Amino acid sequence: MADFSFADFQEAVSDCLIRHRSVLDVMTKFQEASSRVNRAVAKSVTSCGCTEVCAKRQKFPEHPEGTTLSQIKQFIDTHISGELCADCRDALENEVGRCLFYLVALCEITGVDFSEAVEREWESLRTLGVFNMS
Ligand SMILES: [Zn+2]
């Protein structure tokens, strides 16, 4: 993986786009793949049991002024406990990879440079930081 680049990845994906070259195929395959990512997480809870979900309303500090980001993080719960076992991690990584494949395929078909999209997002993340995501 030493010489890995997103551009190389996009080129490799492009070479594989023979059977599923239609944008409609790629769009629906991407959606299916992203559902399978969620399914892999859900199965770690419901089938394997290596993780558990316990969700409740988030509690933010009443007076957030002067509160640091790391202090705020302590208040916000991911609602997941436990750790993925090796099998569930492997399954999730496979699904994430497939999802990424179809996302990059969609970029390729629509003429979007995936590495530029990543770069733009990276720049936005660095500029806006914590305010970037809702
Ligand atoms: Zn598991």
Side-chain angles (χ1 to χ4, degrees), residues 49-100:
C50 59
T51 61
E52 288 180 23
V53 171
C54 180
K56 54 184 182 278
R57 187 168 175 255
Q58 300 282 11
K59 284 184 185 155
F60 295 96
E62 281 181 36
H63 304 287
E65 309 85 24
T67 311
T68 65
L69 184 58
S70 63
Q71 286 171 326
I72 288 177
K73 272 185 181 171
Q74 290 173 358
F75 282 93
I76 303 170
D77 195 345
T78 61
H79 297 146
I80 190 168
S81 62
E83 254 181 60
L84 291 174
C85 68
D87 288 345
C88 290
R89 180 175 305 278
D90 189 50
L92 182 56
E93 282 178 0
N94 279 338
E95 301 301 354
V96 166
R98 291 312 288 167
C99 193
L100 194 56

Side-chain angles (χ1 to χ4, degrees), residues 108-128:
E108 180 64 17
I109 285 177
T110 56
V112 167
D113 186 328
F114 181 70
S115 62
E116 273 180 33
V118 171
E119 220 169 283
R120 184 184 295 186
E121 187 60 26
W122 173 237
E123 194 56 44
S124 162
L125 210 58
R126 286 195 313 194
T127 310
L128 300 170

Side-chain angles (χ1 to χ4, degrees), residues 1-108:
M1 292 299 273
D3 294 326
F4 171 81
S5 78
F6 289 127
D8 291 341
F9 185 69
Q10 184 159 350
E11 202 179 310
V13 168
S14 175
D15 291 345
C16 292
L17 283 178
I18 294 163
R19 221 156 50 94
H20 301 292
R21 194 138 186 100
S22 160
V23 70
L24 295 176
D25 284 340
V26 173
M27 283 165 61
T28 52
K29 283 282 188 187
F30 172 62
Q31 190 166 29
E32 191 181 310
S34 66
S35 295
R36 290 180 66 94
V37 169
N38 289 342
R39 178 87 182 125
V41 176
K43 281 185 88 170
S44 77
V45 178
T46 59
S47 293
C48 178
C50 59
T51 61
E52 288 180 23
V53 171
C54 180
K56 54 184 182 278
R57 187 168 175 255
Q58 300 282 11
K59 284 184 185 155
F60 295 96
E62 281 181 36
H63 304 287
E65 309 85 24
T67 311
T68 65
L69 184 58
S70 63
Q71 286 171 326
I72 288 177
K73 272 185 181 171
Q74 290 173 358
F75 282 93
I76 303 170
D77 195 345
T78 61
H79 297 146
I80 190 168
S81 62
E83 254 181 60
L84 291 174
C85 68
D87 288 345
C88 290
R89 180 175 305 278
D90 189 50
L92 182 56
E93 282 178 0
N94 279 338
E95 301 301 354
V96 166
R98 291 312 288 167
C99 193
L100 194 56
F101 174 89
Y102 286 110
L103 178 62
V104 173
L106 197 55
C107 289
E108 180 64 17

